[in-house]
Amino acid sequence: AIIRELGGIPIVGNKMNSPNHSIKEKALNALNNLSVNVENQIMIRIYISQVCEDVFSGPLNSAVQLAGLRLLTNMTVTNDHQHLLDSYITDLFHVLLTGNGSTKVQVLKLLLNLSENPAMTEGLLGAQVDSSFLSLYDGHVAKEILLRVLTLFQNINNCVKTEDHLAIQPTFTKGSLFFLLYGEECAQKIRALASHHDADVKEKVVAIIPKF
């Protein structure tokens, strides 16, 4: 609060323009810490589009990309600023599929925030996502990733049910997340996970299977 009141947020925010990756990373980390305060978020939100550009155009798996993803995750814990990511959802899925384990986990944390908000459901389901996304539902996938992609499906499905989105039948194009999640291949993969060796995964699957 003191940093905000003394005009520190714009000073930190402007450091994101630095060509020095280390300074950019530290500016993102500082904004991430400041974003825990809800009043600070109102000022930090003006940087969201710039953070997204840095995250999606910068080097994959870099410290800057991870710092940006952490900031976006903090900024989307509540529904207030989630709509600012509307036009970047397809990019998020691209980074999810191409990034390493740490990047995947961070993107999934962000997607899970969005998936809990019914207002974001249509944007998530309409995102163009490569079919390799379904490989995240394979039994050999790391538990911290597998549990999150299962929760992502569960959250979206709950929102669809609550909002009756499927009854309205928005026009989802082929290649969208909708066609992947509600296709037969995904159903088979989730049913196969019912015999997974991990109890937490099994429990999550049991909660989802009745949807099929």
Side-chain angles (χ1 to χ4, degrees):
I2 291 168
I3 291 172
R4 180 185 72 245
E5 288 158 12
L6 292 175
I9 290 177
I11 294 171
V12 176
N14 288 337
K15 294 298 179 192
M16 287 197 301
N17 298 318
S18 172
N20 183 310
H21 287 296
S22 180
I23 291 172
K24 191 187 282 275
E25 179 204 350
K26 286 175 171 58
L28 286 163
N29 286 335
L31 287 177
N32 184 41
N33 291 336
L34 289 163
S35 72
V36 176
N37 179 296
V38 176
E39 287 182 57
N40 287 351
Q41 285 194 4
I42 294 164
M43 294 188 73
I44 294 170
R45 62 174 282 160
I46 67 168
Y47 301 107
I48 283 185
S49 61
Q50 185 184 344
V51 175
C52 287
E53 295 300 330
D54 285 342
V55 163
F56 302 124
S57 64
L60 187 66
N61 305 320
S62 64
V64 168
Q65 186 178 63
L66 279 171
L69 286 168
R70 282 193 295 268
L71 173 56
L72 294 174
T73 303
N74 256 359
M75 289 293 290
T76 53
V77 168
T78 66
N79 298 351
D80 297 345
H81 312 298
Q82 291 184 357
H83 63 283
L84 298 172
L85 272 69
D86 276 340
S87 57
Y88 298 102
I89 292 175
T90 293
D91 297 305
L92 276 172
F93 278 101
H94 178 71
V95 173
L96 170 67
L97 297 179
T98 53
N100 63 18
S102 300
T103 301
K104 277 179 165 56
V105 168
Q106 199 58 54
V107 174
L108 282 167
K109 286 179 180 179
L110 175 47
L111 287 171
L112 284 177
N113 286 348
L114 303 183
S115 70
E116 290 174 352
N117 180 3
M120 299 299 292
T121 305
E122 199 170 318
L124 286 166
L125 288 175
Q128 290 295 299
V129 180
D130 191 85
S131 59
S132 62
F133 171 77
L134 291 180
S135 67
L136 296 177
Y137 290 95
D138 289 344
H140 60 78
V141 170
K143 178 181 173 179
E144 61 178 347
I145 292 171
L146 186 53
L147 280 175
R148 285 187 171 96
V149 290
L150 285 167
T151 305
L152 179 68
F153 182 95
Q154 188 177 30
N155 287 351
I156 289 174
N157 209 67
N158 288 342
C159 288
V160 163
K161 207 165 60 176
T162 306
E163 294 292 293
D164 213 11
H165 272 79
L166 294 186
I168 302 164
Q169 277 296 336
T171 313
F172 295 118
T173 56
K174 201 155 187 186
S176 65
L177 183 66
F178 173 84
F179 277 91
L180 292 179
L181 285 183
Y182 292 98
E184 183 53 33
E185 187 183 346
C186 185
Q188 287 175 0
K189 284 178 177 288
I190 289 181
R191 281 195 290 262
L193 288 172
S195 55
H196 196 274
H197 60 85
D198 185 89
D200 294 332
V201 172
K202 268 190 194 169
E203 186 182 343
K204 184 65 73 176
V205 170
V206 168
I208 293 171
I209 276 184
K211 313 294 189 296
F212 293 109

